[in-house]
Amino acid sequence: MSSNSNKMGLMGLTTIVTVNMMGSGIILLPSSLAATGGIALLAWAVTAIGALAIAYAFAKCGMYCTDDGGMSAYAEKAHGKSSFFIASYTYYVCLVISAVAIAVSCVGYLEYFIPWLKETPIHTFVGVIAILIVTMFANVKGAKITGQISTITVWGIIIPVLGLSIIGWFWFDTKVFAEAWNPNDISAGSAIYAGMSLTLWAFLGIESAGANSGTVENPKRNVPLACMLATVFSAATYIASTTVIQGIIPNEVLAKSDSPFGLVFAQMFSPLVGEIITAMAIMACLGSLLGWQFTNAQVSKVAADMRLFPKIFGDVNKYDAPFKGMMIMLAFELILAVMTISPTLLKQFNVLVNLAVFINMVPYVLALTALGIIMKNADVNQKEYNNGIIIGSVAVLYSIYGAYSTGEEAVFYGAIITLLGYFFYGFIASREDVVKEDVIKKVSS
């Protein structure tokens, strides 16, 4: 009895999963989706179903595969060691891209207080790299500080989004919403395709849902249930907030806004309230960026410890933080920020989101297709196995469609980046063969 007293219950786990998922993913989406119109809400519905399937499948993987490496460890169960590397590599690249996208979101809200940032693309770029540098160096004191900051700052976006979902209906205008429904006169299928990658972006991070199974009461029941509840809650909040904002702010204004939540609260209440919400959004972006940069540093450290990444990624400082790996990651982020400079902040954000979503679907598919063998190895009963295979198949097919929906440019560059991963692994594999030969020689001598 005492062994369970310190374990987390269903509601505690549901809260943690919700906080991890929501982060800053929603912060610029109302403006991005406004380019399609209110009909893009159909994409939210499809994404919610797909996200539920992914959450369930990853929860099952996390319950029955406790090896270090998360998605990479799952992938290895079905596809071998090379897939551990490819999953780690593509996830690493995805998080580098995501970090830049979050920094772009942060600059969009920061422009309200520092108008200089939006005068030229170069000014915006300066703001992006400044944020990336500050948050990366804030990570050097290790996981404890990063975790404490992120746990507080994430509420800077959850409170406004959840608040708008509940009270925003008092300002909702059906006429404004009707005018914004389908401004481009496109079909439902085209609207879903146009909004899929953007809405899927808001759910990235769902792969970490089963990571806490060892600290949860009755994990076989509570882990999948918490994942499902958190995903349903997040989806409902996303859909409600996006719907409300499109019924308050005229579509042509919303589509050009770099700080949609600050804008809507300013219209609902006063400019001062809008400024407070904008400041909270900046805080949330900084905290989310801090957390994801640290997560990515840990991903590369685990891979380095397994000799799949260069050794330098595994070197840690006195705070047990992989400082050298962080500096390498920062260099990649700064290069990417240079490569994606755009005339408008929203265009830069959309390019980054599409590329991040496509690349993230690679480890998703590798990991999710391992669910069958993971459950077989765990000797689950036939009913649980069948349910897992059905839901897992939905998750995989949805992930493939999510990759397709990112568009030709993202698919093209994402495929090139993934193929480069196999090129890098060729050198790693040959190095491993040399190591094995040395071991054999030592044993035989």
Side-chain angles (χ1 to χ4, degrees):
M1 190 74 176
S2 59
S3 62
N4 288 330
S5 61
N6 294 323
K7 289 199 171 186
M8 191 183 309
L10 175 61
M11 292 312 299
L13 182 61
T14 301
T15 301
I16 287 178
V17 175
T18 301
V19 169
N20 287 343
M21 196 185 309
M22 291 188 72
S24 62
I26 186 68
I27 204 164
L28 270 182
L29 286 194
S31 298
S32 297
L33 292 171
T36 303
I39 196 171
L41 289 170
L42 298 175
W44 277 120
V46 175
T47 298
I49 295 171
L52 282 169
I54 291 172
Y56 180 90
F58 274 130
K60 288 293 182 183
C61 287
M63 285 170 57
Y64 297 122
C65 177
T66 57
D67 296 356
D68 288 342
M71 287 194 295
S72 302
Y74 308 156
E76 185 180 12
K77 296 296 183 183
H79 306 291
K81 195 166 187 177
S82 64
S83 69
F84 189 107
F85 171 80
I86 294 299
S88 298
Y89 161 78
T90 49
Y91 193 53
Y92 180 88
V93 173
C94 170
L95 292 188
V96 167
I97 298 168
S98 298
V100 181
I102 294 171
V104 168
S105 300
C106 190
V107 169
Y109 278 76
L110 200 57
E111 286 174 352
Y112 183 89
F113 300 105
I114 311 175
W116 177 86
L117 290 170
K118 61 181 176 182
E119 289 181 2
T120 70
I122 297 300
H123 290 177
T124 300
F125 166 73
V126 170
V128 169
I129 63 170
I131 288 169
L132 290 170
I133 291 171
V134 168
T135 52
M136 187 64 80
F137 276 95
N139 267 309
V140 300
K141 289 198 173 182
K144 184 176 181 181
I145 298 298
T146 298
Q148 289 173 344
I149 295 173
S150 298
T151 300
I152 296 170
T153 57
V154 73
W155 294 99
I157 194 60
I158 292 179
I159 292 172
V161 174
L162 185 58
L164 182 64
S165 303
I166 297 172
I167 66 173
W169 298 102
F170 292 104
W171 288 266
F172 184 82
D173 188 332
T174 55
K175 183 180 178 182
V176 172
F177 183 76
E179 291 174 349
W181 176 250
N182 195 0
N184 303 314
D185 195 27
I186 61 176
S187 66
S190 297
I192 292 172
Y193 174 82
M196 181 68 74
S197 63
L198 291 170
T199 53
L200 181 53
W201 159 259
F203 285 98
L204 294 190
I206 201 172
E207 67 277 354
S208 62
N212 297 302
S213 58
T215 62
V216 179
E217 295 176 359
N218 191 6
K220 188 173 181 179
R221 169 187 176 271
N222 288 342
V223 171
L225 189 55
C227 293
M228 303 295 277
L229 289 173
T231 305
V232 168
F233 175 80
S234 298
T237 304
Y238 288 155
I239 292 170
S241 62
T242 307
T243 302
V244 169
I245 203 169
Q246 288 180 321
I248 298 175
I249 306 297
N251 197 65
E252 63 274 11
V253 176
L254 183 61
K256 297 176 182 177
S257 175
D258 292 334
S259 54
F261 284 96
L263 177 66
V264 72
F265 273 90
Q267 183 160 324
M268 288 164 55
F269 295 102
S270 69
L272 176 61
V273 174
E275 290 174 2
I276 293 171
I277 295 299
T278 299
M280 291 177 67
I282 293 169
M283 179 184 74
C285 278
L286 292 173
S288 179
L289 181 54
L290 193 74
W292 280 118
Q293 284 178 323
F294 191 85
T295 297
N296 208 16
Q298 295 304 311
V299 168
S300 57
K301 181 182 180 300
V302 170
D305 291 342
M306 296 184 66
R307 302 188 77 248
L308 292 174
F309 272 26
K311 183 178 180 295
I312 192 171
F313 285 94
D315 293 344
V316 297
N317 61 14
K318 64 180 180 180
Y319 301 106
D320 203 32
F323 178 76
K324 293 178 182 178
M326 288 178 176
M327 293 304 100
I328 294 172
M329 180 168 55
L330 177 60
F332 288 144
E333 290 173 357
L334 298 183
I335 292 169
L336 183 62
V338 173
M339 293 172 62
T340 57
I341 293 176
S342 297
T344 66
L345 185 141
L346 274 176
K347 183 178 180 181
Q348 184 180 11
F349 176 77
N350 290 341
V351 168
L352 289 166
V353 165
N354 284 329
L355 187 57
V357 168
F358 174 83
I359 293 177
N360 202 49
M361 292 306 101
V362 176
Y364 269 31
V365 171
L366 286 173
L368 291 168
T369 50
L371 178 58
I373 192 168
I374 288 172
M375 290 192 297
K376 280 286 187 184
N377 291 341
D379 197 27
V380 302
N381 62 56
Q382 192 62 43
K383 181 179 179 181
E384 184 176 359
Y385 178 82
N386 290 341
N387 289 339
I389 290 298
I390 292 170
I391 297 174
S393 296
V394 172
V396 171
L397 292 173
Y398 169 76
S399 298
I400 293 172
Y401 182 72
Y404 164 75
S405 72
T406 60
E408 293 180 6
E409 186 177 25
V411 171
F412 174 79
Y413 288 109
I416 296 297
I417 290 170
T418 303
L419 291 174
L420 280 173
Y422 282 98
F423 170 73
F424 298 144
Y425 184 73
F427 293 99
I428 293 169
S430 62
R431 184 185 67 185
E432 289 298 307
D433 286 340
V434 171
V435 172
K436 288 175 185 175
E437 288 174 10
D438 289 343
V439 171
I440 291 171
K441 288 177 181 176
K442 288 179 181 177
V443 171
S444 45
S445 61

